[in-house]
Amino acid sequence: MKFGVIGTSDITDWVLKGAAFDPRFELAAVYSRSLERARGFAQKYGVSRIFTDFEGFSQGIEAVYIASPNAFHAQQACFFLRRGIHVLCEKPLCSNAHEAKLMIETAQKHHTVLMEAMISTLNPNFLALKDNLHRVGKVRKYVASFCQYSSKYDAFKQGIVENKFKNELSNGALVDIGVYTLYPMVVLFGKPRSVSAIGYILSSGIDGSGSALFGYEGMQATVNYSKISHSAASAEIEGEEGTLVMDRINIPRQLTFLPRKGEPQNLSTKHCGNDYYYEIKAFIDVIEAQKPEHDINSHEHSLLVMELMDEIRRQIGVVYPADKFR
């Protein structure tokens, strides 16, 4: 399957290294706003077709991986979906729920696949957790933390505001980091009854860190996320009969079941050695099966996560320029 990629940052490199494990994947074209960056990136992968315009770039590709700044996701995705090109879009799917609905409607209208590149929920250890959820009995708590000090934060403190800290690009700790804690929650438990959030707002208008509490029937969920501090806290699901523990919520490598009575059990599964392979495989599988969307990284789940992030941003006071078009 001939792919084009938009974006030449580290995340695109990571995804392409994972894609190398799937023989169905072929990198056919590279897009960047800078011809020099496009050329340098393409040379690493032996690709000759480089573009700074979407019209030329869209010719000769069947699918596109979008890793541009968040604020551009919706417009770019819809451009390709309307042309019958399948879209794997990096998380967060877009800026807000209004854009998510537009993207989903466009994919459905043009019979093209749209999938959010949420790596964690396609990981074998998350799937193992999902299969073993019944073992904890009645679920009472979901707790997830992802706090990762940004490599760009030191520059920010010196007055240099790079893309990852720009409000106009729809960034922030919630959408860049917190989304990893929310997506698994939604996949496992659906829509919460209530949302209560707090956050720390930086001078550029984005949130540097935050926490949210969600109410469900008979249980509660708590998530913590940050781009300005670091934490080794894991994720766990607590039930009346035991607890499932993941070492990391974004890319779980270890899964342990702690029964209320008995010894800990290692439920970790083996995988191919590259976590990004699984999102490429899932995306191509959906296309080849002629399905409209993925079962786990589905339109419904992506939209619900975006709606929850909209509500959290409303409560903590983060507004993006893209919100004006809702």
Side-chain angles (χ1 to χ4, degrees):
M1 185 169 293
K2 296 182 184 298
F3 274 74
V5 294
I6 297 175
T8 56
S9 62
D10 289 344
I11 185 63
T12 308
D13 267 323
W14 300 338
V15 168
L16 289 177
K17 288 176 182 176
F21 285 81
D22 195 316
R24 299 170 296 177
F25 181 94
E26 177 187 344
L27 180 58
V30 172
Y31 168 89
S32 175
R33 287 173 293 176
S34 164
L35 186 61
E36 182 179 352
R37 283 198 300 270
R39 181 178 292 112
F41 189 88
Q43 285 176 346
K44 290 192 299 182
Y45 295 94
V47 176
S48 59
R49 299 181 69 242
I50 58 175
F51 299 91
T52 56
D53 69 286
F54 286 142
E55 286 293 349
F57 173 71
S58 65
Q59 303 300 314
I61 61 172
E62 302 166 85
V64 61
Y65 167 67
I66 296 177
S68 55
N70 303 339
F72 303 147
H73 287 184
Q75 180 183 11
Q76 292 176 354
C78 288
F79 176 92
F80 294 101
L81 292 168
R82 294 187 186 108
R83 285 158 176 77
I85 296 171
H86 307 292
V87 173
L88 177 63
C89 188
E90 189 52 58
K91 62 79 196 165
L93 188 63
C94 50
S95 298
N96 52 54
H98 173 76
E99 290 185 347
K101 290 175 183 176
L102 176 62
M103 294 166 72
I104 292 168
E105 289 169 359
T106 303
Q108 292 171 340
K109 180 179 179 181
H110 295 275
H111 306 289
T112 42
V113 173
L114 169 68
M115 191 179 94
E116 186 169 2
M118 175 51 63
I119 186 174
S120 57
T121 45
L122 301 174
N123 182 282
N125 283 313
F126 175 79
L127 299 180
L129 178 144
K130 191 169 180 287
D131 290 341
N132 286 277
L133 187 59
H134 65 279
R135 300 180 69 170
V136 306
K138 178 65 177 177
V139 176
R140 292 304 186 187
K141 280 190 177 183
Y142 167 91
V143 181
S145 178
F146 189 16
C147 300
Q148 181 173 275
Y149 191 94
S150 172
S151 61
K152 310 297 184 183
Y153 186 49
D154 286 339
F156 181 85
K157 290 189 290 185
Q158 298 300 317
I160 303 170
V161 183
E162 300 193 40
N163 281 356
K164 280 297 182 181
F165 283 82
K166 289 183 178 179
N167 174 277
E168 61 267 30
L169 295 180
S170 302
N171 285 316
L174 172 64
V175 297
D176 292 340
I177 298 291
V179 66
Y180 283 110
T181 67
L182 295 178
Y183 214 106
M185 179 189 81
V186 164
V187 169
L188 295 172
F189 306 112
K191 184 177 181 178
R193 291 184 166 189
S194 62
V195 182
S196 179
I198 57 173
Y200 175 71
I201 312 303
L202 300 176
S203 59
S204 64
I206 70 163
D207 56 320
S209 65
S211 301
L213 178 66
F214 304 90
Y216 286 89
E217 177 65 34
M219 64 165 281
Q220 66 184 40
T222 305
V223 301
N224 301 294
Y225 46 89
S226 176
K227 296 177 71 168
I228 58 175
S229 62
H230 193 81
S231 172
S234 61
E236 62 181 37
I237 298 173
E238 304 171 17
E240 294 184 355
E241 301 302 324
T243 301
L244 285 165
V245 180
M246 288 190 292
D247 61 330
R248 297 191 296 179
I249 192 62
N250 60 321
I251 305 179
R253 299 287 172 80
Q254 293 182 331
L255 174 65
T256 306
F257 175 55
L258 306 175
R260 187 166 55 84
K261 298 179 180 179
E263 297 298 315
Q265 301 172 28
N266 182 9
L267 302 181
S268 307
T269 62
K270 295 181 180 179
H271 57 75
C272 77
N274 188 292
D275 299 284
Y276 289 92
Y277 158 71
Y278 295 101
E279 68 181 27
I280 292 294
K281 179 183 183 301
F283 182 61
I284 297 178
D285 284 349
V286 170
I287 296 170
E288 290 193 340
Q290 297 184 335
K291 296 172 59 178
E293 59 183 303
H294 193 266
D295 294 336
I296 296 178
N297 288 17
S298 66
H299 295 167
E300 178 185 4
H301 291 153
S302 291
L303 178 58
L304 179 50
V305 169
M306 192 58 62
E307 289 173 343
L308 292 176
M309 292 197 295
D310 281 0
E311 174 58 22
I312 291 170
R313 288 197 297 113
R314 186 193 67 79
Q315 291 187 22
I316 67 176
V318 172
V319 179
Y320 299 141
D323 296 332
K324 298 176 183 178
F325 302 102
R326 287 190 291 184

